[in-house]
């Protein structure tokens, strides 16, 4: 591999000739040979948005001339479009402030400008990576701002639409099976009736709450600490830089970010991300139940519950011919488990650092973005390849409902709990129907029993 020589404050460093990064990045590649994880590309693109907005703000505030502004603007635009992705080699496991990644971005943009201007790479002409590209900024305020940009964009443009699709499908199923009465179950034991539609409606209601929680968390994420520089005080910025740069960020993203009133809070701690991670964990908990209920209800096909039929996507066994497994549900609960684990890392990261700086920023955003991606992908796949194709097995549902002993619950207001329990015990012990047991015990006639025990009426309030 051919190299060129670049310099930073520590001296000369060899840099691959085909890369746009410089000495500071090369040192980071050498000093952090840890793991295979790289900084999420969403952070790199978010940095492009931030640097583009920063140079526009600095020009508006008369801190940088139009020529430099136009050059950096063009380079940042290429970064946003993904044209410079190959120039970001640093490990995720770097300094906790994300400084190496900010330097990486500064160098790539500066060298891209050198290319555009016909200057030599590493010449720092016509713009300097620290003096110009990083003007009015610090790694300490830019990295958490990039975290917020990446998370908000991923939530609003990726995850929330997928959750809306899932909610729509659940609501569709709830209407489709609104009148189909089936056995309810508590403690994995038979319980009073419910409709299959009500079962799906319950999931839709849970999901509605989660969507509301995510939207609520967005309010806190959108308060950006940019303009706080090193410790939140705004050293080396011009008055109103924070407000001006946020205006340009909103023009680029079409979002509604605001400049945080207290910049230190967004640099020293990341409570908004800890909060978001908790919401994502809650979503994972919901999805795990949805997945496991899907598995239970479709179990069989002859020796399980088998009240619903799931799509047959692929063979389920390398040894048992004809076996079909609930693979989409299994993928969904595994992804959910990983999201729950990620939340632990975010919680630890959120409490890490001292005084004016949290030093687990890369850890936090890596796990946040992975959780969003895992949830979105697994939900979309489950929705398309499982939920949309679920059908009720009406015969199996009717069979279970007819044999359920918990239909006796409808008799509580009529003959009391003790006599109703006696009927249920007799029916179970002597293997007879509830009606037969009630008649034999002399508590009700067959006609009276039929008038009181109506499974459909048991799915709603039934006392006048």
């Amino acid at each position: 591999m051919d190299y060129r020589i670049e310099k930073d404050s520590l001296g000369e460093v060899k840099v691959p000739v085909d890369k746009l990064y410089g000495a500071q990045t090369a040192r980071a590649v050498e000093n952090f040979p840890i793991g295979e994880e790289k900084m999420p590309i969403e952070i790199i693109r978010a940095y492009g948005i931030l640097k583009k907005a920063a140079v526009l703000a600095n020009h508006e505030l008369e801190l940088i001339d139009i020529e430099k502004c136009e050059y950096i603007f063009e380079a940042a635009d290429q970064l946003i479009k993904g044209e410079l992705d190959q120039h970001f080699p640093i490990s995720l496991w770097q300094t906790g402030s994300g400084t190496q990644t900010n330097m990486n971005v500064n160098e790539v943009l500066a060298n891209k400008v050198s290319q555009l201007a016909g200057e030599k790479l590493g010449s720092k002409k016509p713009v300097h990576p620290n003096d110009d590209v990083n003007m009015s900024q610090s790694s300490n305020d830019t990295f958490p701002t990039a975290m917020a940009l990446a998370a908000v964009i991923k939530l609003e443009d990726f995850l929330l639409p997928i959750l809306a699709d899932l909610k729509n499908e659940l609501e569709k199923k709830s209407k489709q099976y609104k009148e189909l009465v089936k056995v309810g179950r508590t403690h994995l034991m038979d319980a009073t009736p419910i409709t299959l539609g009500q079962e799906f409606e319950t999931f839709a209601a849970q999901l509605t709450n989660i969507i509301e929680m995510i939207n609520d968390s967005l309010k806190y994420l959108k308060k950006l600490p940019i303009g706080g520089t090193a410790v939140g005080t705004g050293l080396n910025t011009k008055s109103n830089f924070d407000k001006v740069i946020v205006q340009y960020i909103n023009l680029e993203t079409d979002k509604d970010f605001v400049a945080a009133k207290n910049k230190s809070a967004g640099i020293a701690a990341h409570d908004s991300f800890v909060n978001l991670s908790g919401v994502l964990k809650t979503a994972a908990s919901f999805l795990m139940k949805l997945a496991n209920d899907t598995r239970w209800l479709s179990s069989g096909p002859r020796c399980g519950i088998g009240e619903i039929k799931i799509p047959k996507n692929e063979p389920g066994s390398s040894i048992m011919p004809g076996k079909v497994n609930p693979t989409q549900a299994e993928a969904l609960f595994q992804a959910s488990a990983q999201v729950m684990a990620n939340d632990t890392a975010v919680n630890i990261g959120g409490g890490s650092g001292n005084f004016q700086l949290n030093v687990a920023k890369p850890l936090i955003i890596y796990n946040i973005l992975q959780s969003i991606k895992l949830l979105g992908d697994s939900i979309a796949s489950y929705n398309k390849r499982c939920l949309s194709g679920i059908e009720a097995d009406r015969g199996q549902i009717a069979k279970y409902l007819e044999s359920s002993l918990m239909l006796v619950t409808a008799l509580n207001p009529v003959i009391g709990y003790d006599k109703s329990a006696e009927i249920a015990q007799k029916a179970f012990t002597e293997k007879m129907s509830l009606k037969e047991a009630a008649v034999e015990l002399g508590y009700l006639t067959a006609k009276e029993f039929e008038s009181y025990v109506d499974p459909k009426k048991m799915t709603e309030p039934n006392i006048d």
Side-chain angles (χ1 to χ4, degrees), residues 181-226:
V181 184
K182 53 160 289 191
V183 172
R185 294 179 177 87
T186 58
H187 303 274
L188 292 180
M189 308 299 284
D190 302 345
T192 56
I194 189 173
T195 69
L196 185 57
Q198 286 172 325
E199 207 159 20
F200 282 113
E201 186 181 21
T202 299
F203 284 124
Q206 285 181 266
L207 186 53
T208 298
N209 291 338
I210 288 165
I211 291 171
E212 290 176 358
M213 292 178 201
I214 292 174
N215 282 319
D216 188 58
S217 71
L218 284 165
K219 294 186 297 184
Y220 304 103
L221 289 170
K222 290 181 177 180
K223 297 178 181 180
L224 304 181
I226 191 67

Side-chain angles (χ1 to χ4, degrees), residues 53-177:
V55 74
L56 290 171
N58 283 321
H59 176 64
E60 181 175 324
L61 296 170
E62 301 180 341
L63 294 175
I64 196 167
D65 64 52
I66 187 62
E67 182 182 16
K68 289 183 177 182
C69 177
E70 289 177 345
Y71 271 130
I72 296 173
F73 181 98
E74 184 177 350
D77 207 43
Q78 290 187 26
L79 180 55
I80 294 167
K81 294 175 181 177
E83 297 173 7
L84 307 178
D85 290 353
Q86 68 272 29
H87 301 292
F88 297 91
I90 303 173
S91 170
L92 174 79
W93 312 109
Q94 54 177 277
T95 182
S97 62
T99 298
Q100 279 74 42
T101 291
N102 182 38
M103 289 177 169
N104 192 175
V105 173
N106 292 334
E107 289 182 331
V108 168
L109 294 183
N111 272 326
K112 185 61 190 178
V113 168
S114 294
Q115 270 191 346
L116 294 171
E119 299 285 352
K120 183 180 178 182
L121 293 183
S123 65
K124 301 179 182 178
K125 297 178 181 179
V127 303
H128 190 283
N130 295 83
D131 296 338
D132 298 314
V133 181
N134 200 57
M135 180 183 290
S136 306
Q137 305 154 64
S138 163
S139 299
N140 294 355
D141 67 339
T142 59
F143 197 88
T145 298
M147 289 168 64
L149 297 184
V152 168
I153 291 169
K154 200 74 171 177
L155 287 169
E156 292 191 341
D157 297 353
F158 173 71
L159 183 58
L160 283 173
I162 290 172
L163 291 175
D165 288 342
L166 179 63
K167 179 185 172 185
N168 289 338
E169 189 60 43
L170 289 167
E171 290 175 341
K172 180 180 175 181
K173 294 294 182 187
S174 73
K175 293 175 182 176
Q176 181 180 357
Y177 297 117

Side-chain angles (χ1 to χ4, degrees), residues 166-449:
L166 179 63
K167 179 185 172 185
N168 289 338
E169 189 60 43
L170 289 167
E171 290 175 341
K172 180 180 175 181
K173 294 294 182 187
S174 73
K175 293 175 182 176
Q176 181 180 357
Y177 297 117
K178 181 179 180 180
E179 303 298 325
L180 183 55
V181 184
K182 53 160 289 191
V183 172
R185 294 179 177 87
T186 58
H187 303 274
L188 292 180
M189 308 299 284
D190 302 345
T192 56
I194 189 173
T195 69
L196 185 57
Q198 286 172 325
E199 207 159 20
F200 282 113
E201 186 181 21
T202 299
F203 284 124
Q206 285 181 266
L207 186 53
T208 298
N209 291 338
I210 288 165
I211 291 171
E212 290 176 358
M213 292 178 201
I214 292 174
N215 282 319
D216 188 58
S217 71
L218 284 165
K219 294 186 297 184
Y220 304 103
L221 289 170
K222 290 181 177 180
K223 297 178 181 180
L224 304 181
I226 191 67
T229 61
V231 296
T233 61
L235 175 68
N236 289 351
T237 66
K238 196 169 183 177
S239 179
N240 288 325
F241 170 78
D242 58 340
K243 295 179 177 61
V244 177
I245 187 176
V246 170
Q247 288 177 352
Y248 283 116
I249 287 173
N250 286 336
L251 284 174
E252 181 67 31
T253 62
D254 196 28
K255 304 297 182 186
D256 52 349
F257 294 100
V258 297
K261 291 181 179 179
N262 187 302
K263 310 293 190 292
S264 297
I267 295 173
H270 295 307
D271 300 337
S272 59
F273 290 95
V274 174
N275 173 65
L276 171 62
S277 184
V279 173
L280 297 176
K281 180 179 68 174
T282 302
S285 179
F286 155 73
L287 293 166
M288 186 172 285
K289 184 178 187 299
L290 175 61
N292 283 326
D293 280 6
T294 301
R295 295 170 62 228
W296 277 99
L297 292 174
S298 65
S299 61
R302 292 187 173 179
C303 303
I305 294 177
E307 290 184 344
I308 61 173
K309 300 174 183 177
I310 59 174
K312 298 179 179 179
N313 295 324
E314 68 279 310
S317 173
S318 62
I319 189 173
M320 294 175 279
K323 196 171 190 294
V324 176
N325 296 329
T327 53
Q328 290 297 317
E330 291 169 2
L332 183 60
F333 85 69
Q334 288 180 86
S336 298
Q338 184 62 56
V339 171
M340 292 178 179
N342 288 352
D343 180 61
T344 299
V346 173
N347 290 338
I348 294 170
S352 298
N354 304 96
F355 310 119
Q356 279 68 59
L357 184 67
N358 173 282
V359 291
K361 302 180 195 297
L363 169 72
I364 291 170
I365 194 57
Y366 176 81
N367 282 281
I368 289 285
L369 291 175
Q370 187 192 58
S371 290
I372 295 172
K373 177 68 170 170
L374 282 174
L375 290 176
D377 286 350
S378 60
I379 291 168
S381 186
Y382 169 84
N383 199 18
K384 177 182 178 180
R385 297 177 176 87
C386 183
L387 180 61
S388 63
I390 285 177
E391 296 179 358
D393 189 324
R394 294 178 181 270
Q396 187 78 314
I397 286 173
K399 176 183 174 183
Y400 284 142
L401 181 63
E402 183 180 346
S403 63
S404 174
L405 296 176
M406 290 305 101
L407 296 178
V408 77
T409 306
L411 297 178
N412 285 356
V414 181
I415 61 175
Y417 182 94
D418 291 338
K419 290 181 179 179
S420 298
E422 190 179 352
I423 291 172
Q425 289 298 323
K426 181 177 179 66
F428 177 70
T429 303
E430 300 181 23
K431 293 182 172 53
M432 60 174 62
S433 69
L434 289 171
K435 182 167 66 173
E436 290 171 335
V439 172
E440 279 198 19
L441 288 169
Y443 294 146
L444 295 166
T445 65
K447 186 175 181 180
E448 288 173 330
F449 181 91

